[in-house]
Amino acid sequence: MNSDLNWLLFFQPIVEGETLVWWEMLFSGLLWTLATSAVAGVIAFSVGSLMGVLRTASNKPLAFLGNAYVEIFRNIPLIVQFFLWYFVVPEFIPALKSWSIEQDPTFVQFLAAVVCLGLFTASRVAEQVKSGILSLSRGQRAAGYALGLTEAQTYRFVLLPMAYRIIIPPMTSESMNLIKNTSVALTIGLTELTFRTREMGEVTFAFFEAYIAATVLYVIVAMTMNRVMALIERRTAVPGFIAGGK
């Protein structure tokens, strides 16, 4: 079976007479995957941190808000959220719909993907941030108040710096999940790696070669992310809480 695989196909033009070859198209899909992951990751970390803090706040309405956010976004299937953000939300906001019609469709798909993935992943990040804060002793919060810090300042200068270091291992998993979840964006037409892989398979019928190549690229990206997060974990490990890798 291996002898039947045509690896030279990746260096053949997509259209006869053109210079663009298949490996370049797959690479362009990889770039969209990385861009979507990066921007969505910033949204997820920012919103997730805020919601994680709200869930541990002493103010009950704020805690309820944080809990409601997590329950809503965590319990709706990701593919449904993609369709809601791309197809449904613009229908309820006429100005947004008019604006999106005037834009490049790829940019609109990218925007919907990063918002959807960012807010979805934020619900998972919020859970990790909450766990990190609650794993700290009550004495740290009390020490912040004793120093005259407000609750917001206590979170900023005392609790969150420690909590972030503790949750690096589970955040590694969330980062890798975010990269893999970008593949769902093909359902709204974003030309990320899985979209390009399927396109190559449908045009050339070389499904084995296309999906093997995509698998290798996903593994390389995931392992690179894993190594980066492992390095960060070793540099920021808190003795007595987590053990950094050797």
Side-chain angles (χ1 to χ4, degrees):
M1 177 178 172
N2 290 337
S3 61
D4 296 331
L5 298 180
N6 181 17
W7 299 112
L8 294 178
L9 177 65
F10 292 100
F11 301 95
Q12 295 178 3
I14 297 175
V15 179
E16 187 175 352
E18 297 291 335
T19 58
L20 184 67
V21 295
W22 285 109
W23 77 262
E24 292 176 322
M25 191 180 75
L26 289 182
F27 187 72
S28 70
L30 176 62
L31 293 180
W32 278 112
T33 292
L34 296 176
T36 304
S37 302
V39 179
V42 173
I43 296 174
F45 180 77
S46 303
V47 177
S49 296
L50 175 62
M51 293 302 160
V53 167
L54 293 183
R55 298 183 74 197
T56 60
S58 58
N59 186 297
K60 290 186 178 181
L62 292 180
F64 174 82
L65 177 63
N67 288 326
Y69 176 90
V70 170
E71 293 303 319
I72 291 173
F73 282 90
R74 189 173 59 178
N75 292 309
I76 299 176
L78 179 58
I79 191 171
V80 174
Q81 294 189 41
F82 265 104
F83 291 155
L84 287 174
W85 283 108
Y86 187 66
F87 295 110
V88 178
V89 171
E91 295 296 328
F92 288 94
I93 308 176
L96 177 61
K97 182 178 181 179
S98 299
W99 176 83
S100 63
I101 292 175
E102 298 173 354
Q103 305 303 312
D104 182 347
T106 301
F107 175 72
V108 177
Q109 293 156 2
F110 172 74
L111 187 61
V114 298
V115 171
C116 177
L117 281 172
L119 296 181
F120 172 79
T121 308
S123 65
R124 303 176 62 87
V125 172
E127 190 67 32
Q128 303 300 342
V129 172
K130 175 188 175 183
S131 299
I133 293 173
L134 294 181
S135 70
L136 302 174
S137 66
R138 295 181 179 179
Q140 295 203 36
R141 186 187 294 264
Y145 293 152
L147 291 172
L149 301 179
T150 64
E151 184 173 19
Q153 290 173 330
T154 300
Y155 273 104
R156 178 181 176 184
F157 297 113
V158 180
L159 301 180
L160 283 177
M162 287 289 290
Y164 284 144
R165 294 174 178 177
I166 294 171
I167 65 173
I168 288 177
M171 287 296 292
T172 300
S173 297
E174 297 300 341
S175 299
M176 296 172 70
N177 285 336
L178 175 60
I179 293 172
K180 291 181 288 185
N181 284 340
T182 59
S183 62
V184 185
L186 71 85
T187 59
I188 61 172
L190 183 64
T191 55
E192 44 72 56
L193 179 56
T194 302
F195 183 100
R196 289 304 192 186
T197 302
R198 185 180 67 174
E199 186 177 21
M200 178 180 175
E202 291 175 346
V203 172
T204 64
F205 297 102
F207 287 98
F208 283 105
E209 293 91 332
Y211 281 100
I212 288 174
T215 299
V216 171
L217 291 174
Y218 276 119
V219 169
I220 291 174
V221 172
M223 293 305 297
T224 301
M225 175 63 70
N226 182 278
R227 290 297 85 200
V228 170
M229 294 298 288
L231 177 62
I232 296 174
E233 180 182 348
R234 287 196 298 269
R235 295 290 181 87
T236 62
V238 181
F241 287 94
I242 56 175
K246 300 296 183 182

